[in-house]
Amino acid sequence: MWFVENYDEKASLGLKVKKKLHEEQSKFQKIDIYETEFFGNLLTLDGLVMLTEKDEFVYHEMITHMPLCTIKNPERVLVIGGGDGGAVREILKHDSIKEVVMCEIDQRVTDLCRIYFPTTTCKLDDPRVKLHFEDGFKFMDGYEGYFDLIITDSSDPVGPGVALFQEDYYRLVKKALKPGGIMVSQSESPWYFEDTMTSMTGAMANVFKNVQTYIALVTLYPSGLWTMTAASDSLSLYDFDEKRSAKIAETCKYYNPEIHKGALALPNFVKKIVHNTK
Ligand code: SPD
């Protein structure tokens, strides 16, 4: 048996599956969990790969440590989405963290990940973590000047995720950030989501002074060439704390100071797609 994700009828990814572990239609999306032959357990939402046990570290290390090693003394972080807990696990590796708020729209994702993905949910009960299950867009409106970092760990811009790729959302993010804060969003693949990348980085550039797209090689996402985009009025990912980055790297399987620098180097065709300010 094979799990197959189709990329717009252009290409597809196949993963050999041992068995299906769970299947349900939640209030928001179709949730499927499989045991694969090679990648451990696999979570898909509306038929799209979100993570496997074997490769999730790449995405979660890169969406957290790039911005966290750039902030001087990160204390308060908001994760919008991220119901599998992988981003929260990585954030808590930083000693300065006092509070991590996670707002996931679909509680079923977290409940099921607690059963099938114990290595990503392992830090969700840490006393510094506050979990909310509601619409991230509305939730964030309640905050002003509070977070050092806001991470949008969303699914793709279909279904419940669409609003998280638009300018109104980035304006709310800016309001909820401290003046010297930074945001990061997963920003899709330049091979299959060129228009999304152009529109979302353009929308960020309308709201923030610095917009920086960077690359993470996520094997099981479309094309494997995945991007994340940071935006801030004052911080630049180039100005990161190399010492802290090296210390965090001791706990990582992908991220390290060389990767931090290299991830910011964009191929020419990607430079043409995004609104990078630096
Ligand atoms: N095409 C897949 C994009 C998914 C990005 N988010 C994944 C969530 C992992 N925490």
Side-chain angles (χ1 to χ4, degrees):
M1 174 175 152
W2 289 78
F3 163 81
V4 176
E5 177 177 338
N6 278 313
Y7 305 150
D8 266 350
E9 304 300 319
K10 294 179 182 123
S12 57
L13 166 83
L15 290 173
K16 187 95 194 294
V17 162
K18 276 192 194 155
K19 59 175 185 257
K20 191 163 214 179
L21 298 170
H22 188 84
E23 170 174 11
E24 76 178 57
Q25 177 67 48
S26 76
K27 206 172 135 201
F28 301 98
Q29 55 210 339
K30 176 94 191 320
I31 306 175
D32 292 291
I33 299 171
Y34 305 84
E35 182 185 351
T36 70
E37 285 286 346
F38 183 71
F39 283 95
N41 290 352
L42 158 72
L43 169 72
T44 68
L45 297 179
D46 289 332
L48 306 174
V49 171
M50 289 298 122
L51 65 116
T52 69
E53 286 180 302
K54 199 178 179 85
D55 83 329
E56 56 80 14
F57 65 89
V58 180
Y59 177 92
H60 291 126
E61 290 176 13
M62 288 300 279
I63 205 163
T64 53
H65 303 312
M66 292 283 291
L68 283 167
C69 289
T70 301
I71 304 166
K72 253 209 174 94
N73 184 41
E75 291 183 337
R76 298 200 157 72
V77 181
L78 171 62
V79 180
I80 298 290
D84 52 72
V88 170
R89 177 196 67 205
E90 294 302 314
I91 293 163
L92 289 174
K93 289 178 176 175
H94 293 255
D95 294 337
S96 57
I97 295 296
K98 292 190 172 144
E99 182 181 4
V100 184
V101 180
M102 186 188 96
C103 182
E104 161 65 52
I105 196 165
D106 192 345
Q107 180 161 5
R108 288 301 294 152
V109 170
T110 303
D111 290 348
L112 289 165
C113 285
R114 281 187 189 273
I115 301 168
Y116 296 107
F117 296 87
T119 52
T120 57
T121 52
C122 56
K123 293 287 176 191
L124 289 181
D125 296 320
D126 186 286
R128 291 167 290 176
V129 176
K130 297 190 175 103
L131 301 181
H132 296 265
F133 296 101
E134 56 185 290
D135 184 321
F137 205 100
K138 289 188 195 139
F139 176 79
M140 213 166 28
D141 209 7
Y143 285 92
E144 206 167 327
Y146 189 74
F147 296 104
D148 298 290
L149 167 63
I150 297 177
I151 295 174
T152 309
D153 180 7
S154 66
S155 49
D156 301 285
V158 283
V162 177
L164 308 181
F165 290 77
Q166 294 169 353
E167 189 168 322
D168 286 354
Y169 174 72
Y170 303 132
R171 293 202 181 280
L172 276 186
V173 169
K174 183 162 175 166
K175 180 168 79 85
L177 279 174
K178 283 183 190 162
I182 188 166
M183 63 155 285
V184 174
S185 280
Q186 76 89 358
S187 50
E188 305 286 322
S189 157
W191 285 103
Y192 296 109
F193 299 92
E194 184 175 332
D195 293 347
T196 302
M197 289 185 69
T198 301
S199 69
M200 74 185 285
T201 56
M204 283 183 200
N206 289 339
V207 177
F208 293 95
K209 289 195 183 112
N210 301 339
V211 177
Q212 293 173 298
T213 296
Y214 60 94
I215 282 172
L217 302 175
V218 185
T219 320
L220 299 182
Y221 287 174
S223 85
L225 181 67
W226 206 251
T227 68
M228 292 159 191
T229 300
S232 169
D233 278 341
S234 52
L235 300 179
S236 162
L237 295 176
Y238 286 109
D239 304 323
F240 70 111
D241 183 337
E242 273 204 62
K243 241 176 144 183
R244 196 146 41 92
S245 162
K247 186 156 177 273
I248 285 292
E250 289 169 14
T251 70
C252 291
K253 287 193 269 186
Y254 186 90
Y255 177 83
N256 61 43
E258 294 77 39
I259 285 285
H260 187 120
K261 292 176 206 162
L264 290 160
L266 299 183
N268 289 344
F269 82 100
V270 182
K271 280 190 192 172
K272 282 196 182 147
I273 295 171
V274 296
H275 289 81
N276 253 16
T277 53
K278 293 210 167 192

